[in-house]
Amino acid sequence: DAEITQSPRHKITETGRQVTLACHQTWNHNNMFWYRQDLGHGLRLIHYSYGVHDTNKGEVSDGYSVSRSNTEDLPLTLESAASSQTSVYFCASSEWGQGFNTEAFFGQGTRLTVV
Amino acid sequence: RKEVEQDPGPFNVPEGATVAFNCTYSNSASQSFFWYRQDCRKEPKLLMSVYSSGNEDGRFTAQLNRASQYISLLIRDSKLSDSATYLCVVNGGTGFQKLVFGTGTRLLVSP
């Protein structure tokens, strides 16, 4: 069965370190998204990609970067981790066709703590 | 104005009650609408897509009102297991491939 997986599931890192969160999907979806979720804010879009070599900034992109070298993977990098980036991170993928989005599938999330 | 807005709740209802949630969206050109369910900070999962003509899935009914730019979710005969956060999702952005989430409405069903 197709799936979307995130790793690691939990991570503790120190302020100032570079951290990369992995996201891998086997749906063969063109669209991939990274969200963060914090109490009181719901899911906020960090970065997204519509295909290989395409990346776009979301509403909370400062301090994060992504790259899309293939269809399956969209790693999220925190350039210099800050305590404000302590959050739960979700990766999602979906498809687009004839003017409509398909259902988005989510990974199980990564709980990141920056100390 | 936020792209997608929901009442955060919580909605506290007894088992067997009927409860309705609304969600408003700002972009009149949006074409894709969904309701997702999220349990205890787990990953969101699709509850149902929302079609122009409205659609029903068991105890759940979704409606779309384009004129007023809102979608609704009706849950009949609430179960304890319906306790969760319900997220409204609308497509947006240039090209409309981006999925924008509301902050969610929390539902608590009590015995």
Side-chain angles (χ1 to χ4, degrees):
Chain A
D1 287 348
E3 61 181 0
I4 177 167
T5 55
Q6 293 181 232
S7 61
R9 295 289 310 281
H10 301 273
K11 183 160 182 75
I12 300 174
T13 191
E14 295 178 342
T15 301
R17 288 191 179 270
Q18 185 181 77
V19 177
T20 296
L21 309 183
C23 175
H24 179 81
Q25 54 102 0
T26 57
W27 290 99
N28 200 35
H29 285 160
N30 283 318
N31 299 343
M32 294 185 73
F33 309 88
W34 273 104
Y35 296 88
R36 62 177 288 176
Q37 187 171 37
D38 307 284
L39 285 172
H41 289 281
L43 284 157
R44 291 184 291 175
L45 186 61
I46 306 172
H47 281 285
Y48 55 103
S49 168
Y50 293 153
V52 177
H53 303 310
D54 174 77
T55 61
N56 306 280
K57 292 183 178 180
E59 60 180 306
V60 290
S61 60
D62 287 348
Y64 303 93
S65 63
V66 293
S67 62
R68 187 92 179 267
S69 58
N70 57 53
T71 300
E72 296 80 16
D73 299 289
L74 186 70
L76 177 71
T77 297
L78 286 69
E79 304 293 345
S80 176
S83 57
S84 60
Q85 294 176 309
T86 293
S87 187
V88 178
Y89 292 85
F90 287 105
C91 178
S93 71
S94 74
E95 197 47 81
W96 170 263
Q98 298 182 329
F100 294 90
N101 293 91
T102 65
E103 170 188 0
F105 294 92
F106 281 81
Q108 291 180 298
T110 295
R111 190 174 295 274
L112 177 68
T113 303
V114 182
V115 297
Chain B
R1 182 184 173 186
K2 287 186 177 180
E3 289 187 76
V4 180
E5 293 196 73
Q6 293 182 253
D7 181 342
F11 284 57
N12 291 283
V13 302
E15 273 187 292
T18 295
V19 62
F21 309 135
N22 281 343
C23 164
T24 59
Y25 61 94
S26 62
N27 195 325
S28 60
S30 293
Q31 296 289 337
S32 302
F33 308 92
F34 307 91
W35 283 102
Y36 276 71
R37 170 188 170 132
Q38 187 176 27
D39 296 286
C40 291
R41 305 291 292 278
K42 293 186 178 179
E43 75 271 25
K45 293 185 178 178
L46 181 70
L47 178 66
M48 57 198 307
S49 302
V50 186
Y51 303 120
S52 295
S53 56
N55 47 300
E56 187 173 308
D57 183 4
R59 298 182 293 109
F60 299 86
T61 300
Q63 296 279 353
L64 168 63
N65 185 315
R66 287 193 184 276
S68 300
Q69 293 182 212
Y70 75 85
I71 65 173
S72 63
L73 177 68
L74 182 76
I75 305 175
R76 292 181 298 277
D77 189 22
S78 298
K79 311 292 185 189
L80 294 176
S81 58
D82 293 334
S83 296
T85 297
Y86 292 85
L87 302 165
C88 168
V89 186
V90 178
N91 72 328
T94 303
F96 292 91
Q97 297 190 51
K98 185 175 68 171
L99 291 172
V100 183
F101 282 75
T103 53
T105 298
R106 190 169 175 210
L107 173 64
L108 298 171
V109 181
S110 55

